[in-house]
Amino acid sequence: MNSFGRIFKISIFGESHGRAVGIVIDGCPPGIALAEKDLEGDLARRKSGAKGTTSRREDDKPVFLSGVHDGNTTGSPIAVIFHNADVISSDYDMFKDVPRPGHANFVAKKKYDGFSDIRGGGHFSGRLTLGLVTAGVIAKKIINPIDVKANLIEAGGEKNIDKAIQKAIENNDSIGGIIECRSVNMPVGLGEPFFDSVESLISHLVFSIPGVKAVEFGSGFKAAAMTGIQHNDPIISISGKTKTNHAGGINGGITNSNDLVFRIAVKPTASISKTQHTINTKMAEMVDLEVKGRHDLCIALRIPVIVEAATAVVLADFMMINKTIS
Amino acid sequence: MNSFGRIFKISIFGESHGRAVGIVIDGCPPGIALAEKDLEGDLARRKSGAKGTTSRREDDKPVFLSGVHDGNTTGSPIAVIFHNADVISSDYDMFKDVPRPGHANFVAKKKYDGFSDIRGGGHFSGRLTLGLVTAGVIAKKIINPIDVKANLIEAGGEKNIDKAIQKAIENNDSIGGIIECRSVNMPVGLGEPFFDSVESLISHLVFSIPGVKAVEFGSGFKAAAMTGIQHNDPIISISGKTKTNHAGGINGGITNSNDLVFRIAVKPTASISKTQHTINTKMAEMVDLEVKGRHDLCIALRIPVIVEAATAVVLADFMMINKTIS
Amino acid sequence: MNSFGRIFKISIFGESHGRAVGIVIDGCPPGIALAEKDLEGDLARRKSGAKGTTSRREDDKPVFLSGVHDGNTTGSPIAVIFHNADVISSDYDMFKDVPRPGHANFVAKKKYDGFSDIRGGGHFSGRLTLGLVTAGVIAKKIINPIDVKANLIEAGGEKNIDKAIQKAIENNDSIGGIIECRSVNMPVGLGEPFFDSVESLISHLVFSIPGVKAVEFGSGFKAAAMTGIQHNDPIISISGKTKTNHAGGINGGITNSNDLVFRIAVKPTASISKTQHTINTKMAEMVDLEVKGRHDLCIALRIPVIVEAATAVVLADFMMINKTIS
Amino acid sequence: MNSFGRIFKISIFGESHGRAVGIVIDGCPPGIALAEKDLEGDLARRKSGAKGTTSRREDDKPVFLSGVHDGNTTGSPIAVIFHNADVISSDYDMFKDVPRPGHANFVAKKKYDGFSDIRGGGHFSGRLTLGLVTAGVIAKKIINPIDVKANLIEAGGEKNIDKAIQKAIENNDSIGGIIECRSVNMPVGLGEPFFDSVESLISHLVFSIPGVKAVEFGSGFKAAAMTGIQHNDPIISISGKTKTNHAGGINGGITNSNDLVFRIAVKPTASISKTQHTINTKMAEMVDLEVKGRHDLCIALRIPVIVEAATAVVLADFMMINKTIS
């Protein structure tokens, strides 16, 4: 369950307040130059610190346990861990019996029969995405010259993101956002019918990022209100370039050389300090809850680099699979 | 690539104008009553015939090759095929060099080096979903009492679907639509972190249905413009029932006992008889194209039952996986 | 469960006395010339007919349902079925309650709660290997110039196989045998540590052939009694050629360019007409049993071509996986 | 490639002289009592120290990174690492160009294009089995009351193992051995046709243990020389107990409630200090080689506990899969 990919394969582990979170990346080709500093840029983009993000401070320093030798990948599994340090677990004791609305507390307790580690969200924590960002850095090297870029294009319903964040701070509330991801220099032919379309695998991985509730490719939901003559992209070159790109760079689940474009919706962070209604499952009574602890009020701020990583991981796997039939 | 699922596992095969399309369903428990007539209802819903659907007429009669004996599943793989009969392959000769805009012709030719069977869309055809509907009928029996229902709630941008279809017929154009799927009587605890969330697997399978370009769960894209206090669903019962259902029945990727709700966008059918611009890849020149042949003008009409099947297949697999830790 | 392989992936289905047995082969590259007649040679080698084999006569004619067009593979899944015709199911009624010693009757009934189709061995039948031989024919084309050859080198403990068969006929008993498989023109580098060594995957697939009870590579069991200086193969060429081949062409789970050599033991067929002791599970009483019906008395005669197929399938998958990192 | 299992799934990583080796165990049920001390017994059995084993001294102390909380498994992935400390990497420099006979040096260099970490055998090292033993300890808890025991029953061709070791020490040579594994209190019904028979999966995992070259179940190679009436095990109880156990507890690939019995052959350790012939691949000339460094002279001494672990891991996975259809 906690793994993804067919050839370039990732396995994730860890809990937010456990000893460490990490990832094992299997199937990576040997001979890719890789140093811990290569991760710095993307890890910094994922990190908290900006206005609207949590006050938990982790140095997010990657420790390579295996798979890299003399500055290159070896072809063996790459294991990377991140120690957890700035942990205040006492904040979480009460959620055992009083599940936070909008959060995984309730389902985790039921699913794992009370044995899950709920501190800091446990295995459901966004902190697990550190591994995904790590895999993304490597995947980006593999898919070069494809270039994947994601940006927060809207937060709290506004295009002016700073303003939206400021408003949320003032309201003591959290907000969601919309992220757009665009990959350029795409080849033709990535993706696999019938069940592993590009849309299938990107959405699979992107929906595992905590907070994502919607994904649309190309014109997305707008396509439902278009006619064929409006939506079809006229082909204007033997390389497959089209005049418009309503398809988001994908036909029949396969990349067509045009930019791969999709957008995702991130919901507002569940943990807010406003009074909310929930139930004390032990006492079976309604209670009011104000969530303390340190939380992001706009988690969408930190997600673009994770979406890039997810996209790069999927594309790397597709590229390697394509080589098998060449 | 052409298989899906971990325990309740489906493998699909076939081309639109080949000898047959079919499916192999592995991991199905023994002792489930199953007869060919059990498929009639859902296959009829998928079938063409209504206004706005193709004039190709197949009897869509399932042939069970294995896995069913004396009216029950045996526990061995269930192979079911559907012969192709009403085939007019000559319609497709020209698309070898003149790819239809919005269609898989171009990418299929490139990906498979010219060897793919493009007749009727080949392996990319919507006809492949016959197998998925078959698997759905069996999965629905497994997930009982969960009840999955999908409906076309909008076509061509209108809530009045008949009117939208009529308009499309008059305009000689195709239209898209929006389908909503709701599953009731949901248990708590289906879904697997970190990569196999309910959203991940449903979107994975749903995006393999030809024409689907967007998926949103619960409030979906609207969630991006909400605040935490608006979006969080207050928990009002120890069973996990919530007052609202903005989460679409899923927290942390796991079902929370509330209705599982999602919507998908289906693009307008690519094959239309209006004049379109494309390229003759052999001659490397721009050409005008009018697509003949028999095509749906609103493929979204036929997709609700396929979406139900996809959902049921995912939920059946999750339920069986949950048993492994009970 | 009923599938095997990572890229060149096979899924098998069918029961001995059901409508058909078959296979779906996914991940096969496009553009491989393939016709039904290409299967004739290997299917004939697998067929019954020789002294010591069953009197059941099936024409074993493959029907290609998908994945082949205009004489070439298309890159889409290849589904091939074999209809069952010469079926006398009445022979099997009694085994529902009186399991044959050495046979799967007892375990199948228990595992599938009485719902398995036991006629002719059902899904446990050697007839399922028709699909494996089919996949083998295609795999042999992919791995060319590797050449895989397997032979029965001993039957009933004798090197003179005809004599051993004749003796078994006279004794009204069944016999086992030893098959050796040798693959030549091997490249260096097939196989994957840590869990997918060449030995791991070949043994995995070979042990799924009914009747196989032992596998040894190179010197095999003899290696356990050798010393390092005796067993180590001196390397005599930069291509990796060794003076001896005690390793059977594999070091560290990876092919080393020397011939890949292994032997398997096939047990005597379980179904014999001699009186045997078993239990009537319904009456809970000991009974004597004489198995009627048509059975091979030396199934090992028919297995060499199946072992070749298994080997070729594994090697094809390894070769395709190797391309992903090249 | 470096993972195994369908539900109880293990992923292994690390190199002998890298920072650490480890394992991720996914799919483990929550609520299993687990402490680091539970590993002590089996890790000690695997450890070097006895006469005939390497002088490399590692404390083999497991560090649990995730998946265990308050003394119980949480249901999330369990990551366990073992730091490498007693490392003398200089011993290995020369093997880059002068591959040791019988060792993975040559194939690793070719397969990974010179980028593999060859120090101490790198990712091919027996040290990787630390993770497997860890998984085995957990699996043994899951399969309880099944009890798995493996023993070295022969070394260097002798039943008197001490004597054989002593002789090898005197000869400055290495020796192989035969290990028998017996599991008692077996249920009926573990194993999956057609490709995941008990023999298939046990051999798959056992053949990934460095040095294993042969596996036989029940009568194994002896079965090839038996007749049906000799080999068939008469059923003497409605529970499936048989009078003899030539089948090794498996019919049709499925456990039949009798003891599960198999034997493996372990080759003599490749690294010996006697003079051997090999090739300097850089100079393309024959050279004589005496392997220095610290090596086991009878690795078979340390393998029984690893074989138990492999068996327990396979059985745990089968048991969990069986629950899906119950």
Side-chain angles (χ1 to χ4, degrees):
Chain A
M1 305 79 141
N2 292 280
S3 61
F4 184 86
R6 289 186 69 210
I7 293 292
F8 187 81
K9 192 170 172 180
I10 58 178
S11 300
I12 215 160
F13 59 86
E15 286 100 12
S16 182
H17 290 205
R19 214 171 244 154
V21 299
I23 194 162
V24 181
I25 301 156
D26 199 4
C28 181
I32 296 178
L34 187 64
E36 288 169 9
K37 70 170 170 40
D38 295 347
L39 301 178
E40 286 171 10
D42 277 1
L43 289 175
R45 289 173 62 202
R46 182 199 161 282
K47 214 168 179 168
S48 60
K51 198 165 65 170
T53 63
T54 176
S55 59
R56 177 174 173 181
R57 289 293 168 272
E58 293 282 3
D59 68 0
D60 291 349
K61 194 176 156 33
V63 180
F64 282 75
L65 297 181
S66 68
V68 181
H69 183 53
D70 282 348
N72 284 290
T73 59
T74 62
S76 297
I78 303 166
V80 185
I81 62 172
F82 298 82
H83 290 283
N84 297 322
D86 185 14
V87 163
I88 308 179
S89 299
S90 58
D91 288 348
Y92 295 89
D93 283 349
M94 68 174 303
F95 304 135
K96 281 186 188 164
D97 298 321
V98 183
R100 282 173 284 176
H103 208 279
N105 294 147
F106 178 79
V107 296
K109 186 176 177 180
K110 289 278 183 181
K111 184 173 181 76
Y112 299 111
D113 208 18
F115 288 104
S116 65
D117 177 359
I118 67 158
R119 300 169 302 156
H123 186 60
F124 291 82
S125 166
R127 189 157 170 76
L128 273 285
T129 58
L130 275 168
L132 191 50
V133 171
T134 302
V137 169
I138 299 170
K140 285 174 179 178
K141 294 182 178 220
I142 293 173
I143 65 174
N144 182 51
I146 296 178
D147 190 33
V148 184
K149 281 282 171 287
N151 290 293
L152 182 63
I153 57 172
E154 189 186 311
E158 304 214 38
K159 298 282 176 189
N160 184 331
I161 290 161
D162 280 343
K163 200 172 137 193
I165 301 287
Q166 192 54 41
K167 195 166 128 192
I169 292 174
E170 286 160 17
N171 289 344
N172 206 18
D173 207 345
S174 63
I175 55 172
I178 293 178
I179 289 160
E180 183 171 270
C181 183
R182 176 177 297 266
S183 303
V184 301
N185 300 328
M186 294 295 300
V188 180
L190 302 183
E192 298 294 327
F194 200 84
F195 294 127
D196 286 357
S197 71
V198 173
E199 294 103 327
S200 288
L201 289 205
I202 286 182
S203 65
H204 185 144
L205 196 46
V206 161
F207 271 125
S208 68
I209 303 170
V212 177
K213 296 299 279 187
V215 175
E216 63 177 5
F217 291 83
S219 300
F221 274 100
K222 286 201 181 66
M226 294 167 80
T227 70
I229 198 71
Q230 291 166 339
H231 188 270
N232 283 349
D233 300 308
I235 305 175
I236 56 173
S237 142
I238 55 165
S239 71
K241 291 293 165 196
T242 54
K243 193 172 173 186
T244 51
N245 188 14
H246 297 116
I250 310 166
N251 293 129
I254 314 283
T255 59
N256 66 13
S257 87
N258 294 279
D259 290 358
L260 173 63
V261 184
F262 66 92
R263 278 168 304 284
I264 64 167
V266 179
K267 73 183 178 90
T269 319
S271 296
I272 51 175
S273 56
K274 276 187 144 48
T275 302
Q276 299 183 78
H277 302 295
T278 184
I279 204 137
N280 183 315
T281 55
K282 204 174 182 177
M283 311 301 286
E285 62 185 14
M286 301 289 298
V287 292
D288 282 352
L289 174 73
E290 284 171 40
V291 180
K292 306 297 180 202
R294 302 165 299 175
H295 303 283
D296 291 272
L297 68 74
C298 180
I299 190 70
L301 285 167
R302 299 171 64 188
I303 289 183
V305 69
I306 307 170
V307 170
E308 289 178 13
T311 306
V313 164
V314 169
L315 296 179
D317 201 31
F318 277 140
M319 283 178 73
M320 293 174 79
I321 288 170
N322 260 16
K323 284 181 164 186
T324 65
I325 59 167
S326 66
Chain B
M1 305 80 141
N2 291 280
S3 60
F4 184 86
R6 288 186 69 210
I7 294 292
F8 186 81
K9 194 170 172 181
I10 58 178
S11 299
I12 215 161
F13 60 85
E15 286 101 11
S16 182
H17 290 205
R19 213 172 246 156
V21 299
I23 193 163
V24 180
I25 301 156
D26 199 4
C28 181
I32 296 178
L34 187 64
E36 289 170 8
K37 71 172 169 36
D38 296 347
L39 301 177
E40 286 172 9
D42 277 1
L43 288 175
R45 290 173 62 202
R46 184 198 159 283
K47 213 167 179 168
S48 60
K51 198 164 67 169
T53 62
T54 176
S55 59
R56 177 174 172 181
R57 290 291 168 272
E58 292 283 3
D59 67 0
D60 289 351
K61 192 175 158 32
V63 180
F64 282 75
L65 297 181
S66 68
V68 181
H69 182 53
D70 281 348
N72 284 291
T73 59
T74 62
S76 296
I78 302 167
V80 184
I81 62 172
F82 296 83
H83 290 283
N84 297 321
D86 184 15
V87 164
I88 308 179
S89 299
S90 57
D91 289 348
Y92 296 88
D93 282 349
M94 67 174 305
F95 304 135
K96 281 186 188 163
D97 298 322
V98 183
R100 282 173 284 175
H103 208 279
N105 295 147
F106 178 78
V107 296
K109 185 176 178 182
K110 288 277 183 183
K111 185 173 181 75
Y112 299 111
D113 208 17
F115 289 103
S116 66
D117 176 0
I118 67 158
R119 299 169 303 155
H123 186 59
F124 291 82
S125 166
R127 188 156 171 77
L128 273 285
T129 59
L130 276 168
L132 191 50
V133 171
T134 301
V137 169
I138 299 170
K140 286 175 178 177
K141 294 182 179 221
I142 293 173
I143 65 174
N144 182 52
I146 297 178
D147 190 34
V148 184
K149 281 281 171 289
N151 289 294
L152 181 63
I153 58 172
E154 189 185 310
E158 304 213 38
K159 298 282 176 191
N160 184 330
I161 291 161
D162 280 344
K163 200 172 136 192
I165 301 288
Q166 190 55 41
K167 196 167 127 191
I169 292 175
E170 286 161 17
N171 289 345
N172 206 16
D173 207 345
S174 64
I175 56 174
I178 293 178
I179 290 161
E180 183 171 271
C181 182
R182 176 177 297 266
S183 303
V184 301
N185 301 327
M186 293 295 300
V188 180
L190 303 184
E192 300 293 327
F194 200 83
F195 295 128
D196 287 355
S197 71
V198 172
E199 294 103 327
S200 288
L201 290 205
I202 286 182
S203 66
H204 185 143
L205 196 46
V206 161
F207 272 125
S208 68
I209 303 171
V212 177
K213 296 300 280 187
V215 175
E216 63 178 5
F217 292 83
S219 299
F221 274 99
K222 286 199 180 67
M226 295 167 81
T227 71
I229 198 70
Q230 291 166 341
H231 188 270
N232 282 350
D233 301 308
I235 304 175
I236 56 173
S237 142
I238 55 166
S239 71
K241 290 294 164 195
T242 55
K243 194 173 171 185
T244 51
N245 188 15
H246 297 116
I250 310 167
N251 293 130
I254 314 283
T255 59
N256 65 13
S257 86
N258 294 279
D259 291 357
L260 171 64
V261 184
F262 67 92
R263 278 168 303 284
I264 64 166
V266 179
K267 73 184 178 92
T269 320
S271 296
I272 49 175
S273 54
K274 277 187 143 46
T275 302
Q276 298 182 80
H277 301 295
T278 184
I279 203 135
N280 182 316
T281 54
K282 204 172 180 179
M283 312 300 287
E285 61 184 16
M286 303 288 299
V287 291
D288 282 351
L289 175 72
E290 284 171 41
V291 180
K292 307 297 181 203
R294 301 166 298 175
H295 303 284
D296 291 272
L297 68 75
C298 180
I299 189 71
L301 285 167
R302 299 172 62 188
I303 288 184
V305 69
I306 306 170
V307 171
E308 289 178 12
T311 305
V313 163
V314 169
L315 296 179
D317 200 31
F318 277 140
M319 285 179 73
M320 293 174 80
I321 289 171
N322 260 17
K323 284 182 164 187
T324 65
I325 59 168
S326 65
Chain C
M1 303 80 140
N2 291 280
S3 60
F4 184 87
R6 288 185 70 211
I7 293 293
F8 187 81
K9 194 170 172 181
I10 58 178
S11 300
I12 215 161
F13 60 85
E15 286 100 11
S16 182
H17 289 204
R19 214 171 245 154
V21 298
I23 194 163
V24 180
I25 302 155
D26 199 4
C28 181
I32 296 178
L34 187 64
E36 288 170 8
K37 71 172 171 38
D38 295 348
L39 301 177
E40 287 173 8
D42 277 1
L43 288 175
R45 289 173 62 203
R46 185 199 158 281
K47 212 168 180 168
S48 59
K51 198 165 65 168
T53 62
T54 176
S55 59
R56 176 174 173 181
R57 289 293 167 271
E58 293 282 3
D59 67 0
D60 290 350
K61 192 175 158 33
V63 180
F64 282 75
L65 296 181
S66 68
V68 180
H69 182 54
D70 282 347
N72 284 291
T73 59
T74 61
S76 297
I78 303 167
V80 185
I81 62 172
F82 296 83
H83 290 283
N84 297 321
D86 184 15
V87 164
I88 308 179
S89 299
S90 58
D91 288 348
Y92 295 87
D93 282 349
M94 68 172 304
F95 303 135
K96 282 185 187 163
D97 298 322
V98 183
R100 283 172 283 176
H103 208 278
N105 296 147
F106 178 79
V107 296
K109 185 176 178 181
K110 287 278 183 181
K111 185 174 181 75
Y112 300 111
D113 209 17
F115 289 103
S116 67
D117 176 359
I118 67 159
R119 299 169 303 156
H123 186 59
F124 291 82
S125 165
R127 189 157 171 77
L128 273 284
T129 58
L130 275 168
L132 191 50
V133 170
T134 301
V137 169
I138 299 170
K140 285 174 179 178
K141 293 183 179 221
I142 293 173
I143 65 175
N144 182 52
I146 296 177
D147 190 34
V148 184
K149 280 282 171 288
N151 289 293
L152 182 64
I153 59 173
E154 188 186 311
E158 304 213 38
K159 298 281 176 189
N160 184 330
I161 290 161
D162 280 345
K163 201 172 135 192
I165 301 288
Q166 190 55 41
K167 196 166 127 190
I169 293 174
E170 285 161 17
N171 289 345
N172 206 17
D173 207 345
S174 64
I175 55 174
I178 293 178
I179 290 160
E180 183 171 89
C181 182
R182 176 177 296 265
S183 303
V184 301
N185 300 328
M186 293 295 301
V188 180
L190 303 183
E192 300 292 327
F194 200 83
F195 295 128
D196 286 356
S197 72
V198 172
E199 294 102 327
S200 287
L201 290 204
I202 286 182
S203 66
H204 185 144
L205 196 46
V206 160
F207 271 126
S208 68
I209 303 170
V212 176
K213 296 299 280 188
V215 175
E216 64 177 6
F217 292 83
S219 299
F221 274 99
K222 286 199 180 68
M226 295 167 81
T227 71
I229 198 70
Q230 291 167 339
H231 188 269
N232 282 350
D233 301 307
I235 305 174
I236 56 173
S237 141
I238 55 165
S239 71
K241 290 295 164 194
T242 55
K243 195 172 171 186
T244 52
N245 188 14
H246 297 116
I250 310 167
N251 294 129
I254 314 283
T255 59
N256 65 13
S257 86
N258 293 279
D259 291 357
L260 172 63
V261 184
F262 66 93
R263 279 168 301 285
I264 65 167
V266 179
K267 73 181 177 94
T269 320
S271 296
I272 50 174
S273 56
K274 276 187 143 49
T275 301
Q276 298 182 80
H277 302 295
T278 185
I279 205 136
N280 182 317
T281 54
K282 203 173 183 178
M283 312 301 287
E285 61 184 16
M286 304 286 299
V287 291
D288 281 352
L289 174 72
E290 284 171 41
V291 180
K292 305 299 181 201
R294 302 166 298 175
H295 304 284
D296 291 272
L297 69 73
C298 180
I299 189 70
L301 285 167
R302 298 171 62 188
I303 289 184
V305 69
I306 307 170
V307 171
E308 289 178 12
T311 306
V313 163
V314 168
L315 296 179
D317 200 31
F318 277 139
M319 286 179 72
M320 293 174 79
I321 289 170
N322 261 16
K323 285 182 164 186
T324 66
I325 59 168
S326 65
Chain D
M1 305 81 141
N2 291 280
S3 61
F4 184 86
R6 289 186 68 209
I7 293 292
F8 187 81
K9 192 170 172 181
I10 58 178
S11 299
I12 215 161
F13 59 86
E15 285 100 14
S16 182
H17 288 205
R19 215 171 244 156
V21 299
I23 193 162
V24 181
I25 301 157
D26 198 4
C28 182
I32 297 178
L34 187 65
E36 288 169 9
K37 70 171 170 40
D38 295 348
L39 301 177
E40 286 171 9
D42 277 0
L43 289 175
R45 290 173 62 203
R46 184 198 160 282
K47 214 168 179 167
S48 60
K51 199 166 64 170
T53 63
T54 175
S55 58
R56 176 174 173 181
R57 289 294 167 271
E58 293 282 4
D59 68 1
D60 290 349
K61 194 177 156 31
V63 180
F64 282 75
L65 296 181
S66 68
V68 181
H69 182 54
D70 282 348
N72 284 290
T73 59
T74 62
S76 296
I78 302 166
V80 185
I81 63 172
F82 298 83
H83 290 282
N84 297 321
D86 184 14
V87 164
I88 308 178
S89 299
S90 58
D91 289 348
Y92 296 89
D93 283 349
M94 69 173 303
F95 303 136
K96 281 186 188 163
D97 297 322
V98 183
R100 283 172 283 176
H103 208 278
N105 295 147
F106 179 78
V107 296
K109 186 177 176 180
K110 288 278 183 180
K111 184 173 182 76
Y112 300 111
D113 208 16
F115 289 103
S116 66
D117 176 359
I118 68 157
R119 299 168 303 156
H123 186 59
F124 291 82
S125 166
R127 190 157 170 76
L128 274 283
T129 59
L130 276 168
L132 191 50
V133 171
T134 301
V137 169
I138 299 170
K140 285 175 179 178
K141 294 183 179 222
I142 293 173
I143 64 174
N144 181 54
I146 296 177
D147 190 34
V148 184
K149 281 281 170 290
N151 291 292
L152 182 63
I153 58 172
E154 189 186 310
E158 303 215 38
K159 299 282 175 190
N160 184 330
I161 290 160
D162 280 344
K163 200 173 136 192
I165 302 289
Q166 192 53 42
K167 196 166 127 191
I169 293 174
E170 285 161 18
N171 289 344
N172 206 18
D173 207 345
S174 63
I175 56 173
I178 292 178
I179 290 160
E180 183 171 90
C181 183
R182 175 177 298 265
S183 303
V184 301
N185 300 327
M186 294 295 301
V188 180
L190 303 183
E192 299 293 328
F194 199 84
F195 294 127
D196 287 356
S197 72
V198 172
E199 295 102 327
S200 288
L201 289 206
I202 286 182
S203 65
H204 185 144
L205 196 46
V206 161
F207 271 125
S208 67
I209 303 170
V212 177
K213 296 299 280 187
V215 176
E216 63 177 5
F217 292 83
S219 300
F221 274 100
K222 287 200 180 66
M226 295 167 79
T227 70
I229 198 71
Q230 291 167 339
H231 188 270
N232 283 350
D233 300 308
I235 304 174
I236 56 174
S237 142
I238 55 165
S239 71
K241 290 294 166 196
T242 55
K243 194 173 172 186
T244 51
N245 187 15
H246 297 117
I250 310 167
N251 294 129
I254 314 283
T255 59
N256 65 14
S257 87
N258 294 279
D259 291 357
L260 173 63
V261 185
F262 67 92
R263 278 168 304 284
I264 65 166
V266 179
K267 73 183 178 92
T269 320
S271 295
I272 51 174
S273 56
K274 277 187 143 46
T275 302
Q276 300 182 77
H277 302 296
T278 185
I279 204 135
N280 182 315
T281 54
K282 205 174 180 176
M283 312 300 287
E285 61 184 14
M286 302 288 299
V287 291
D288 282 351
L289 174 74
E290 284 171 41
V291 180
K292 305 298 180 201
R294 302 165 298 175
H295 303 284
D296 292 271
L297 70 72
C298 180
I299 189 69
L301 285 167
R302 298 171 65 188
I303 289 184
V305 70
I306 307 169
V307 171
E308 289 178 13
T311 306
V313 163
V314 169
L315 296 180
D317 201 31
F318 277 140
M319 285 178 72
M320 293 175 78
I321 289 171
N322 260 16
K323 284 182 164 186
T324 66
I325 59 168
S326 66

